[in-house]
Amino acid sequence: MEWTVTAPVILHQKNYRFHPVTNKHHEIIIKYCMSKDDKGLVIYLQSMLQQLVTDDVQISDLPVLDQLFLLVRLRSLCIGTRLDVIIDKENKAKHRVSLIDIQKSINEHYIHPVNMSDSTNTVNVTIHYTKNWFSNELIDHIHEIVIDGKDTSFNMLTLEQKQQIIDHLDTSHIKKIQTQVNMLKQSINRMVFVKMPGEEADVTITADQFTHILRIIYSDTLNNFVELMYVFVKILNFTLSDVMSLTPSDTQLYYQMFVKETNERDKAQKQAQNQSSARNLPTK
């Protein structure tokens, strides 16, 4: 049986099992991050999550916030729980970010779907976080509309068809929906991304920065990645397929052991050379 990890879908209040993120996945993610191809990055990450999950769940049907949470969770389990980020590009001071704390903050402020009926109780609208990575409008937060007990299959409609239904909603109902959408957006803004020291304001998550956050937590330089793969293949005698199937965290562990053994061996050789030189010194 292969090793799997658990990650919760907050919306479902349930843990799912995933195969781990490997170096093969990480290399592709790094390339998308470096090219700043946000749409390509999102498409790949959704596909990756769908391939890795062993349980029956459709990743693309989840709210973006749930997808982000899963990606933070897998990053912490398979790559590392901490990273350093630069907030101010002028002084370039690095701040340590805990991915565990980010997960806790998302969990703390997450709001579950809300059903809102109009004054006649004939129209029921389900409001939740957007499923669209690149749009955060009111219409993106409406997940379902039931009219006179009949489901409109809102998510299956075209944008024009959705807008036509919304245009026929009661004005007071629209105002209530907008208020709830604002609450959802505010809840995201309370989710802490970087805990700042002292009295500095914490850096929080914003819906328009989801892909930027992904690039921060998964980014690395391709040069670093290739150099590490070179060490494993040329010096440690791994096959490329074997090292690409490792998780990045396991790769770092093996590399640290290699560096430690190399340093200890070099130190022992230097001590032996010094002792040999001392024995060979001429006596007076």
Side-chain angles (χ1 to χ4, degrees):
M1 180 178 176
E2 295 182 352
W3 176 58
T4 57
V5 298
T6 59
V9 171
I10 308 177
L11 172 64
H12 298 167
Q13 297 180 296
K14 177 182 176 182
N15 277 322
Y16 292 88
R17 288 209 162 270
F18 291 79
H19 294 294
V21 174
T22 66
N23 286 321
K24 182 178 180 180
H25 300 116
H26 197 203
E27 179 187 24
I28 298 173
I29 295 171
I30 290 171
K31 290 179 178 178
Y32 275 117
C33 290
M34 292 181 66
S35 67
K36 296 184 179 180
D37 179 4
D38 286 346
K39 288 188 177 180
L41 176 63
V42 167
I43 291 170
Y44 176 74
L45 289 173
Q46 287 179 325
S47 174
M48 181 190 77
L49 287 174
Q50 196 63 62
Q51 291 173 2
L52 294 180
V53 68
T54 65
D55 297 306
D56 185 18
V57 58
Q58 187 63 40
I59 297 298
S60 60
D61 284 345
L62 298 175
V64 170
L65 189 60
D66 284 83
Q67 296 179 46
L68 178 67
F69 184 91
L70 288 175
L71 291 164
V72 173
R73 170 73 172 169
L74 291 179
R75 199 278 186 200
S76 67
L77 292 172
C78 303
I79 300 178
T81 60
R82 296 182 182 276
L83 69 153
D84 294 322
V85 300
I86 296 175
I87 303 299
D88 189 339
K89 292 184 178 180
E90 292 185 1
N91 62 34
K92 296 184 178 181
K94 291 185 177 181
H95 299 272
R96 179 59 57 92
V97 174
S98 166
L99 299 183
I100 303 299
D101 289 344
I102 293 175
Q103 294 170 65
K104 289 179 179 177
S105 188
I106 293 175
N107 253 318
E108 178 184 355
H109 298 290
Y110 189 97
I111 297 176
H112 284 273
V114 175
N115 295 319
M116 308 190 72
S117 298
D118 67 351
S119 57
T120 63
N121 286 324
T122 57
V123 180
N124 186 276
V125 179
T126 302
I127 310 297
H128 201 219
Y129 299 110
T130 177
K131 296 181 180 180
N132 189 331
W133 281 85
F134 304 102
S135 181
N136 197 35
E137 302 301 323
L138 181 143
I139 197 170
D140 300 306
H141 292 78
I142 298 177
H143 288 215
E144 185 180 81
I145 295 181
V146 177
I147 302 175
D148 292 327
K150 295 180 180 180
D151 188 356
T152 61
S153 299
F154 193 76
N155 282 330
M156 305 297 293
L157 302 178
T158 65
L159 183 60
E160 183 179 358
Q161 290 171 327
K162 289 179 179 180
Q163 192 61 56
Q164 288 176 352
I165 293 177
I166 293 174
D167 289 343
H168 285 85
L169 296 180
D170 183 78
T171 302
S172 61
H173 199 189
I174 288 290
K175 288 182 178 179
K176 288 171 58 180
I177 292 171
Q178 184 64 67
T179 299
Q180 184 60 38
V181 169
N182 290 339
M183 290 178 63
L184 289 169
K185 293 180 178 180
Q186 291 166 9
S187 74
I188 294 175
N189 294 338
R190 288 193 292 270
M191 298 172 183
V192 177
F193 180 57
V194 182
K195 185 72 175 177
M196 300 298 287
E199 297 182 359
E200 291 186 67
D202 294 332
V203 179
T204 58
I205 297 173
T206 57
D208 61 347
Q209 293 291 312
F210 281 152
T211 54
H212 181 62
I213 290 171
L214 288 178
R215 280 193 270 114
I216 291 175
I217 66 175
Y218 275 97
S219 66
D220 196 352
T221 66
L222 193 58
N223 285 342
N224 287 344
F225 182 86
V226 171
E227 287 176 5
L228 192 58
M229 296 302 102
Y230 180 87
V231 169
F232 272 76
V233 173
K234 292 295 185 179
I235 301 176
L236 298 180
N237 296 319
F238 277 69
T239 66
L240 184 59
S241 61
D242 284 343
V243 68
M244 292 297 270
S245 66
L246 293 173
T247 66
S249 58
D250 284 346
T251 306
Q252 285 296 328
L253 181 60
Y254 284 127
Y255 180 71
Q256 290 167 10
M257 292 171 61
F258 164 70
V259 171
K260 181 181 178 181
E261 289 180 358
T262 300
N263 290 339
E264 289 175 348
R265 184 171 60 251
D266 291 346
K267 182 179 179 181
Q269 289 177 350
K270 188 174 182 179
Q271 288 177 343
Q273 290 173 354
N274 291 338
Q275 291 173 357
S276 177
S277 297
R279 286 195 299 269
N280 292 332
L281 288 174
T283 58
K284 295 183 178 179

